[in-house]
Amino acid sequence: MTQKHLNDAETLWEPQLQGTGAEDEYWDWVAKSRRAKLLPGDELYAIECDGVTQGLMTIDILKKRCQIESQFRRRLVYIRALATAPWNRSAIMNPPTYKGVGGNLIDFAIARSYELAYQGRIGLHALPGALGFYRKLRVGLLDCGCDPEDPDNLIYFETLQQEP
């Protein structure tokens, strides 16, 4: 993720998200970027097409561990935040400009997990409006239910170890 991607989020995404009721309407990607740069193991990624940022993601590759009993405490790539540009969301623009941006970011997180020898394991907490998206993905995210340790009591998803 570069400063250009952050600028796009601030100048292009934020105005289009205002008033939409999107759960990430108030996310500040510049602040997320600053935080990630201070935390060891946090990484930031962007998808760009036609010179415009289409999706953003921040992941943690060091601090989170698996919660699924069969893999308990094994390393995984934890997705801290994932968002697609407002014009790529069918709830905001129908039809969306690009489809598959969020899925491609998930696929990248899985690929990053393999690079780190975590066998494709990823985990994330889903905002309520994104539950359907995560449940439909073909990557095999398991719905682990509400996480009592999450301050917002969000649903936690995790993948099992996968063959590459």
Side-chain angles (χ1 to χ4, degrees):
M1 187 181 301
T2 67
Q3 186 59 49
K4 184 243 186 279
H5 299 122
L6 297 172
N7 291 345
D8 282 356
E10 199 169 40
T11 60
L12 301 176
W13 291 27
E14 287 180 19
Q16 288 193 35
L17 284 171
Q18 285 181 345
T20 63
E23 293 165 313
D24 64 335
E25 179 179 356
Y26 299 105
W27 281 8
D28 181 345
W29 281 97
V30 172
K32 287 182 184 301
S33 170
R34 270 192 232 112
R35 179 181 180 266
K37 289 174 184 170
L38 297 173
L39 295 172
D42 277 24
E43 300 176 353
L44 302 142
Y45 295 97
I47 290 181
E48 184 178 313
C49 187
D50 293 330
V52 179
T53 306
Q54 305 297 331
L56 297 170
M57 177 174 68
T58 178
I59 61 174
D60 173 354
I61 64 167
L62 293 178
K63 295 175 285 306
K64 298 285 187 172
R65 300 292 177 121
C66 291
Q67 294 183 18
I68 295 174
E69 189 175 325
S70 65
Q71 302 180 137
F72 192 64
R73 307 281 305 144
R74 290 191 179 160
R75 290 191 180 272
L76 57 67
V77 168
Y78 179 76
I79 299 172
R80 285 195 182 281
L82 184 152
T84 62
W87 50 86
N88 295 328
R89 304 176 192 193
S90 56
I92 296 173
M93 178 169 298
N94 201 351
T97 304
Y98 296 107
K99 292 182 177 183
V101 175
N104 279 305
L105 288 167
I106 294 288
D107 289 345
F108 178 82
I110 291 169
R112 186 72 180 110
S113 175
Y114 281 115
E115 287 175 3
L116 296 164
Y118 298 171
Q119 289 78 41
R121 291 186 296 265
I122 65 169
L124 61 94
H125 285 89
L127 294 171
L131 291 173
F133 167 75
Y134 291 117
R135 287 179 175 142
K136 288 181 193 173
L137 286 176
R138 295 185 183 150
V139 299
L141 284 173
L142 298 176
D143 182 335
C144 299
C146 289
D147 182 351
E149 294 184 25
D150 181 69
D152 297 317
N153 206 29
L154 295 176
I155 302 288
Y156 180 72
F157 287 87
E158 195 171 288
T159 57
L160 294 170
Q161 178 176 328
Q162 302 175 17
E163 295 300 320

